Amino acid sequence: MNDAAPAPTPAPATRRARVRAPELIGKGGWINTGGKDLKLADLRGRTLILDFWTFCCINCLHVLDELRELEEQHRDTLVIIGVHSPKFVHEAEHQAVVDAVERYEVHHPVLDDPELATWKQYAVRAWPTLVVVDPEGYIVAQHAGEGHANAIRTLVEELEAEHGAKGTLRRGDGPYVPPEPVATDLRFPGKAVVLPSGNYLVSDTTRHQLVELAADGETVVRRIGDGDFREPQGLALLPDGKVVVADTVHHALRTFDPATGAIELIAGTGKQWWQGSPTSGPALDVDLSSPWDVAWWQGKVWIAMAGVHQLWTYDPETATVEVAAGTTNEGLLDGRAAEAWFAQPSGLAATEDRLWIADSETSALRWIDTEGTVHTAVGTGLFDFGHRDGAAAQALLQHPLGVTALPDGSVAVSDTYNHALRRFDPATGEVTTLATDLREPSDAVLVGDDIVVVESARHRLTRLRLPEEAVQVESVAHRTQREATEVAPGRLRLDVVFQAPTGQKLDERYGPSTRLLVSSTPPGLLVAGEGTGTDLFRELELDPSVTEGVLHVSAMAASCDDDPANEYPACHVHQQDWGVPVKVTEGGATRLPLILAGLDA
């Protein structure tokens, strides 16, 4: 990798370091190839983009969307290969990866790498990471995080021209073989709401529609939306009888009127929110980022803004939006709403005195009170998860996507990656299991004495009787299994490697264009170096008595097109969060480089 200078404006590096790309290996095998195992030799003559992703990660889903246009424009010379590298235990199940590839409409080959073999070969440290391989099989660039589509597009065009001239470019059809379509009434449904008629309205996520089902939960009454939605998720019934819809990939909110069938855009511009964009104002003028769920609480629509790890609100009286809680830092931190950290909030449920939150990436159940303070009921952080009942302080969930308020003041949690419905009782502080053998439950709604669960990966609604006593399950605990980096005790130099893409420069017209935030788990791991700064390097000091932990690093850099004649150059934001497991040991590394954007050397 590059040993870039620590300053935020490193000198240009020579591109095209001759580092051969390692072979692609994964125990899970290949998806979207018609059963064929691919080798790098099969792809020689094409530019390759290796997309290291995991399907729980909202940033990875953003990158999938960023790459779609590029994939289509250069389909005869470019091959994108998804390398699925799991964080959660559930994501190591092959069928779950197959489902995710269909759910998110991944139209290129995917290597299922459950043991992170290829991840390690390419020295990847973060989801998502993009690696560019030239037509001769050499690595030419690596980018972590979102926002690199423009830089990669430029590089792909340069490689196409260069290797076309050399005679080393091969055009033609790629290795992608689409799967056979499956006929079902729903396809990976996300959320549901009960209409006043007793019918169900369901977000049919993969088909980009809403579906109204009769009270039996099976009979299709009508399908709603013809190009209006893109992977819709959350639904909430408003006091006026309309339903507000989290139009996730359009980064928008819309309303649907069941009485007239009318669909109306109420918030969002269609563009994804980036650091530096407005966080309040007229709802149709402010960018949003992957709204995943919505709830009506305290006279406003509350939004689980999964894409930026925050809660926002929409006020229908003033037609405005604003941030309500969260800093955009990813993690689990309670306290005042403006200072709290979330990690991909994906489910909301309102009661009179609190708003419950399924905070998926921390495998946590959280809530915010009417005074604006954030609390955690269940969950400890980004890397601990499992299926364990009992006292809330010891209980474990695995990437929950939904939460449902129950009549007795407790809540049901759609514990998605445990394939279970769980219950937390604030009165006793206990977590129990209500049902198991549900396939990726993502939401649930109450109907009388029953609870109807959205079984996303079984493409159906499933009606369950709420039991008087919970089902008991054997406790299982997990920690994300990634190879720890051995670092020396004492001083550790952190360098975030960023080189502005070809034709761009750092945007310093209005002050520093970079930001670096560092923290640790446990907090005692860092003696010095914690906090926020504008340099993309930091001198850290590690406590030698803390033998292992996780360094949390968040970096952002803004670059603009370097054309003096252009008064209004296009600008681009590059950002990424890392959770780097470290083991403190004598003889370990004294420098930790993380690539935000750079060339491999």
Side-chain angles (χ1 to χ4, degrees), residues 407-438:
D408 64 353
S410 65
V411 290
V413 180
S414 295
D415 194 6
T416 309
Y417 287 3
N418 280 328
H419 309 299
L421 190 67
R422 313 285 292 284
R423 175 176 176 264
F424 170 69
D425 186 350
T428 64
E430 294 285 316
V431 175
T432 52
T433 298
L434 297 175
T436 57
D437 195 32
L438 300 167

XYZ file of all heavy atoms in Angstrom, residues 407-438:
238
model
N -49.172 -3.857 24.019
C -50.155 -3.188 24.888
C -49.733 -3.055 26.346
O -50.176 -2.133 27.039
C -51.391 -4.089 24.762
C -51.230 -4.798 23.465
C -49.760 -5.000 23.304
N -48.876 -3.961 26.840
C -48.499 -3.923 28.260
C -47.303 -3.028 28.546
O -46.779 -3.019 29.660
C -48.213 -5.344 28.762
C -47.010 -5.980 28.070
O -46.493 -5.376 27.113
O -46.601 -7.078 28.486
N -46.842 -2.270 27.546
C -45.703 -1.389 27.747
C -44.375 -1.996 27.341
O -43.355 -1.300 27.313
N -44.377 -3.281 27.048
C -43.163 -3.916 26.546
C -43.080 -3.725 25.032
O -43.987 -3.151 24.412
C -43.136 -5.401 26.905
O -44.187 -6.096 26.242
N -41.982 -4.196 24.424
C -41.838 -4.080 22.977
C -41.389 -5.413 22.404
O -40.664 -6.184 23.049
C -40.823 -2.976 22.580
C -41.370 -1.602 22.879
C -39.482 -3.182 23.245
N -41.839 -5.687 21.178
C -41.368 -6.837 20.416
C -40.307 -6.349 19.444
O -40.490 -5.329 18.774
C -42.510 -7.494 19.662
N -39.200 -7.068 19.378
C -38.091 -6.702 18.497
C -37.987 -7.729 17.376
O -37.901 -8.938 17.632
C -36.764 -6.657 19.285
C -35.612 -6.275 18.354
C -36.857 -5.679 20.444
N -38.041 -7.257 16.148
C -37.791 -8.128 15.005
C -36.287 -8.331 14.918
O -35.557 -7.500 14.363
C -38.333 -7.499 13.711
O -39.741 -7.381 13.764
N -35.836 -9.442 15.511
C -34.401 -9.727 15.653
C -33.939 -10.419 14.380
O -33.806 -11.643 14.313
C -34.187 -10.587 16.891
C -32.737 -10.661 17.316
O -31.910 -9.958 16.716
O -32.426 -11.431 18.245
N -33.662 -9.622 13.367
C -33.620 -10.066 11.982
C -32.633 -11.192 11.727
O -32.976 -12.229 11.162
C -33.310 -8.862 11.076
O -34.212 -7.801 11.406
C -33.461 -9.231 9.611
N -31.376 -11.020 12.142
C -30.365 -12.011 11.806
C -30.392 -13.221 12.739
O -29.715 -14.217 12.466
C -28.978 -11.374 11.802
C -28.716 -10.461 10.624
C -29.709 -10.183 9.670
C -27.476 -9.869 10.444
C -29.465 -9.351 8.610
C -27.223 -9.034 9.362
C -28.216 -8.775 8.450
O -27.970 -7.944 7.373
N -31.165 -13.156 13.816
C -31.414 -14.347 14.641
C -32.671 -15.086 14.204
O -33.029 -16.096 14.816
C -31.532 -13.979 16.121
C -30.188 -13.773 16.787
O -29.205 -14.414 16.425
N -30.123 -12.871 17.760
N -33.368 -14.565 13.184
C -34.604 -15.191 12.681
C -35.606 -15.380 13.822
O -36.261 -16.418 13.934
C -34.303 -16.538 12.012
C -33.210 -16.479 10.992
N -33.288 -15.706 9.868
C -31.996 -17.093 10.948
C -32.180 -15.840 9.146
N -31.374 -16.667 9.790
N -35.736 -14.360 14.661
C -36.547 -14.502 15.868
C -37.327 -13.232 16.149
O -37.003 -12.138 15.667
C -35.650 -14.832 17.068
N -38.382 -13.391 16.969
C -39.120 -12.268 17.532
C -38.821 -12.268 19.027
O -39.065 -13.262 19.717
C -40.624 -12.423 17.276
C -41.485 -11.197 17.598
C -41.177 -10.055 16.640
C -42.973 -11.554 17.521
N -38.263 -11.176 19.508
C -37.856 -11.069 20.904
C -38.754 -10.063 21.633
O -39.427 -9.263 21.001
C -36.391 -10.621 21.005
C -35.422 -11.366 20.101
C -35.091 -12.763 20.588
N -34.313 -12.744 21.822
C -33.011 -12.449 21.900
N -32.339 -12.150 20.803
N -32.386 -12.474 23.063
N -38.703 -10.067 22.955
C -39.505 -9.133 23.753
C -38.643 -8.554 24.858
O -37.920 -9.281 25.540
C -40.711 -9.850 24.365
C -41.551 -8.983 25.325
C -42.768 -9.767 25.799
N -43.549 -9.028 26.781
C -43.437 -9.162 28.114
N -42.550 -10.040 28.609
N -44.181 -8.464 28.930
N -38.726 -7.222 25.006
C -38.085 -6.546 26.126
C -39.152 -5.903 26.983
O -40.012 -5.174 26.489
C -37.107 -5.466 25.640
C -36.609 -4.585 26.759
C -35.749 -5.103 27.730
C -37.013 -3.259 26.860
C -35.293 -4.295 28.779
C -36.559 -2.455 27.887
C -35.701 -2.975 28.854
N -39.078 -6.173 28.291
C -40.046 -5.633 29.242
C -39.341 -4.596 30.119
O -38.511 -4.951 30.953
C -40.613 -6.753 30.113
C -41.733 -6.271 31.018
O -41.949 -5.038 31.104
O -42.397 -7.116 31.644
N -39.646 -3.309 29.953
C -38.980 -2.290 30.772
C -39.263 -2.455 32.270
O -38.441 -2.036 33.097
C -39.564 -0.976 30.247
C -40.119 -1.299 28.904
C -40.571 -2.716 28.976
N -40.397 -3.051 32.608
C -40.744 -3.197 34.017
C -39.818 -4.167 34.738
O -39.474 -3.969 35.909
C -42.201 -3.657 34.157
N -39.395 -5.215 34.056
C -38.534 -6.227 34.674
C -37.086 -6.144 34.200
O -36.193 -6.724 34.814
C -39.052 -7.636 34.361
O -38.966 -7.868 32.941
C -40.501 -7.791 34.819
N -36.868 -5.432 33.081
C -35.532 -5.369 32.515
C -35.086 -6.672 31.880
O -33.890 -6.895 31.690
N -36.040 -7.540 31.505
C -35.725 -8.852 30.962
C -35.998 -8.919 29.469
O -36.934 -8.298 28.948
C -36.562 -9.930 31.664
C -36.255 -10.116 33.141
C -34.953 -10.865 33.362
O -34.725 -11.874 32.674
O -34.170 -10.427 34.219
N -35.177 -9.720 28.786
C -35.380 -10.025 27.370
C -35.741 -11.490 27.242
O -35.082 -12.354 27.841
C -34.107 -9.737 26.552
C -34.280 -10.169 25.101
C -33.757 -8.249 26.616
N -36.798 -11.784 26.502
C -37.224 -13.160 26.252
C -37.434 -13.350 24.760
O -37.443 -12.389 23.989
C -38.530 -13.483 26.997
O -39.507 -12.483 26.678
C -38.312 -13.508 28.510
N -37.612 -14.602 24.361
C -37.849 -14.928 22.952
C -39.298 -15.335 22.769
O -39.796 -16.236 23.456
C -36.932 -16.063 22.494
O -35.572 -15.637 22.615
C -37.200 -16.439 21.049
N -39.988 -14.670 21.863
C -41.397 -14.967 21.584
C -41.556 -16.034 20.520
O -42.474 -16.845 20.586
C -42.122 -13.693 21.133
C -42.208 -12.551 22.146
C -42.854 -11.334 21.498
C -42.990 -12.975 23.380
N -40.696 -16.032 19.516
C -40.819 -17.003 18.421
C -39.489 -17.120 17.707
O -38.717 -16.164 17.630
C -41.905 -16.570 17.438
N -39.240 -18.304 17.193
C -38.036 -18.559 16.403
C -38.449 -19.127 15.045
O -39.637 -19.269 14.754
C -37.099 -19.542 17.121
O -37.814 -20.757 17.377
C -36.611 -18.959 18.444
N -37.465 -19.450 14.214
C -37.696 -20.015 12.886
C -38.485 -19.069 11.994
O -39.261 -19.484 11.148
C -38.393 -21.377 12.967
C -38.307 -22.139 11.639
O -37.297 -21.953 10.932
O -39.251 -22.889 11.312
N -38.279 -17.769 12.183
C -38.769 -16.765 11.257
C -37.590 -16.384 10.360
O -36.476 -16.255 10.840
C -39.259 -15.535 12.012
C -40.407 -15.775 13.007
C -40.576 -14.561 13.914
C -41.700 -16.068 12.261
